[in-house]
Amino acid sequence: TVEKLKGLWVEGEKKQLGNHWIQFQILEEIILQLKTFENYAKKNGKEEIAKIYEREKILAEKIHEEKIKSVKDGGERDEVFNSIKENLKNNFN
């Protein structure tokens, strides 16, 4: 994925970069991680920290929602994302 993005960058393909599915994957990774950190903080009695993570997660979700309105998401995700998602789901939620 990084190699493909690098190629687009080097070739000056700004339009393709702006419409690339990776932006959805990155936002979803951020949301998953913030959700995990929020849950971890709650489990450890750190409610104030959990609120900060929750607030940032909501912001990332809003950005994701807005992005969906302007860029088509084909649902493609790479192996790294799938691994992160699976590990977070199995180990921390």
Side-chain angles (χ1 to χ4, degrees), residues 35-51 53-54 57:
K35 185 178 192 178
T36 300
F37 298 154
E38 176 190 355
N39 289 342
Y40 183 80
K42 284 179 182 177
K43 286 179 185 176
N44 287 284
K46 306 291 184 182
E47 289 299 320
E48 289 301 314
I49 294 172
K51 287 178 186 178
Y53 285 126
E54 179 183 28
K57 179 189 70 174

Side-chain angles (χ1 to χ4, degrees), residues 1-91:
T1 303
V2 173
E3 288 297 320
K4 289 178 185 176
L5 290 170
K6 180 182 84 172
L8 292 172
W9 178 264
V10 169
E11 297 297 320
E13 298 290 342
K14 292 180 183 177
K15 186 172 183 175
Q16 284 186 317
L17 283 169
N19 292 317
H20 199 279
W21 58 266
I22 194 67
Q23 59 193 309
F24 294 103
Q25 177 176 308
I26 291 168
L27 283 166
E28 289 169 17
E29 285 178 17
I30 291 167
I31 292 164
L32 284 170
Q33 291 177 20
L34 288 168
K35 185 178 192 178
T36 300
F37 298 154
E38 176 190 355
N39 289 342
Y40 183 80
K42 284 179 182 177
K43 286 179 185 176
N44 287 284
K46 306 291 184 182
E47 289 299 320
E48 289 301 314
I49 294 172
K51 287 178 186 178
I52 294 168
Y53 285 126
E54 179 183 28
R55 185 178 64 234
E56 298 304 317
K57 179 189 70 174
I58 291 168
L59 177 61
E61 289 170 338
K62 286 179 183 178
I63 293 168
H64 187 267
E65 289 171 14
E66 287 301 311
K67 205 41 110 161
I68 288 174
K69 293 176 185 176
S70 62
V71 178
K72 183 181 181 302
D73 177 14
E76 185 176 353
R77 303 299 180 262
D78 67 17
E79 293 174 27
V80 174
F81 174 80
N82 292 327
S83 178
I84 289 170
K85 184 176 179 179
E86 196 61 30
N87 279 304
L88 290 176
K89 181 175 76 175
N90 289 334
N91 296 312

